[in-house]
Amino acid sequence: MVAIVTGGNRGIGKAIVEELLKIDYTVVITSRSGMDDIKRLRDIYGKNVVFYPCDISFDDDRKRLFRFVDETYGSIDLLVNNAGVAPRERKDILEVTPEEFDYLLNINLKGTFFVTQELTPLLIKNKKARIVNISSMSAYTASVNRGEYCISKAGISMITKLFAARLAEHGVSVIEIRPGIIETDMTAKVKEKYEKLIADGITPINRMGQPEDVAKCVSSIALGNFDFCTGTVIDCDGGFNVRRL
Ligand code: NDP
C-alpha cells in the first residue's frame, strides 16, 4: 500500500507518516524544504519511506511528483492532503492585502485542489483508494484576524465534497479531518494564548491536541475502518465543535 503525505516533514504530517509506516504503508513524504528526520526513518523503515520535494502551489512541482510516483509505484492507495500554512502575519480582515490573501489561498486551497486533481489518475488505477483532507476547525469558525486561513479551510471542506461526489464511482473515498488546537510549529507563536483558552474551558477535553491525535484518525481511515464513508468530516478537536450553553 502506497501513501503520499503532503507536508510530511514535520508537525501533524510527520506524525501521520509515522503512523502509516507502522501499519506497513510505503510513504512518499513531500514538502518544500527537506526533512531532517529522514535518515532516522530510513534506518527503521528502509525503502518504505521516501522524501520527494514538492511545493503544492507550483504546477511544475505537482507534475514532477505525479511522474515520480507513477514511474516508481504506478498507483497510490492513499493521498493525505496535509500541507498548509498560516498567515505570515495575522491581520484583521479589514487590513489583509491581496498579496497575503493570494499567498495563503495559492497553497492551502488551490494547491490542495490541483495536487488532488493531478494525482487522481494514480488513485483511480487502484479501483479502491482513499483521500484524507486535513482542514481545520477554522473551516467553520470565524477568526477575523486570519480570515484568509479560514476561507482556505472552508474551501477544503468543499474540495472534500466535490471529490467525494466525483470519485465514488471510481472506488475513491474522501474524508476530511478537522483538527482543533494542535501543538506544532504552526501554533508555537500563539501557544500561550491557546493554553489560556483551554485552561478557561474552550474545549471539553482540557488539553492541547498532539500531532499523534490527528495521525491516529488518519491511520484508522488507512486501515479501511471508514470504507462506507465519503464526504465525511471527523472533528479531531477535543470537543471544540460542541456548542454549549
Ligand atoms: P506545520 O507548520 O508544523 O507544518 C506545515 C507543513 O506543511 C510542513 O510540512 C510544511 O513543510 C508543509 N508545507 C507548507 N507549505 C507547503 C507547500 N506550499 N507545499 C508543500 N508543503 C508545504 O503545521 P501543522 O503540522 O500544524 O499543520 C499541518 C496541517 O494541519 C495544515 O494544513 C494546517 O493548516 C492544519 N491544521 C493545523 C492545526 C494546528 O493547530 N496545528 C489546526 C488545524 C489544522 P515546508 O515548510 O517544508 O514546505
Side-chain angles (χ1 to χ4, degrees), residues 30-187:
T30 76
S31 60
R32 296 169 299 184
S33 48
M35 184 174 193
D36 296 341
D37 219 17
I38 191 73
K39 189 180 172 316
R40 181 183 66 85
L41 291 180
R42 289 207 73 132
D43 285 347
I44 305 170
Y45 298 102
K47 283 194 308 205
N48 287 356
V49 57
V50 174
F51 179 84
Y52 193 83
C54 172
D55 183 331
I56 59 161
S57 65
F58 287 128
D59 197 40
D60 282 354
D61 277 23
R62 296 188 294 255
K63 290 194 158 55
R64 274 195 306 111
L65 176 65
F66 170 86
R67 282 196 299 274
F68 167 74
V69 178
D70 190 26
E71 283 161 17
T72 314
Y73 304 104
S75 65
I76 49 176
D77 303 277
L78 173 67
L79 167 64
V80 184
N81 284 314
N82 163 78
V85 290
R88 286 189 273 224
E89 193 187 338
R90 290 187 173 202
K91 275 194 189 158
D92 189 276
I93 52 167
L94 302 183
E95 284 163 15
V96 68
T97 64
E99 292 73 26
E100 287 158 340
F101 191 95
D102 283 349
Y103 159 75
L104 198 137
L105 271 287
N106 267 334
I107 296 174
N108 289 10
L109 187 61
K110 200 172 160 191
T112 300
F113 181 92
F114 283 105
V115 85
T116 308
Q117 185 197 67
E118 188 68 43
L119 297 172
T120 287
L122 298 176
L123 291 155
I124 284 177
K125 262 197 200 169
N126 267 342
K127 309 270 186 277
K128 183 172 175 55
R130 306 170 184 110
I131 299 173
V132 176
N133 291 329
I134 307 295
S135 67
S136 170
M137 64 189 192
S138 298
Y140 64 90
T141 304
S143 299
V144 295
N145 62 349
R146 51 187 177 116
E148 69 274 38
Y149 181 80
C150 301
I151 292 168
S152 76
K153 293 300 183 177
I156 289 181
S157 296
M158 183 48 74
I159 291 177
T160 302
K161 291 180 203 291
L162 289 167
F163 280 87
R166 182 66 181 82
L167 299 184
E169 66 181 289
H170 297 287
V172 180
S173 61
V174 190
I175 296 194
E176 174 181 343
I177 299 177
R178 289 184 182 159
I181 301 168
I182 312 293
E183 192 171 0
T184 66
D185 293 348
M186 190 176 275
T187 48

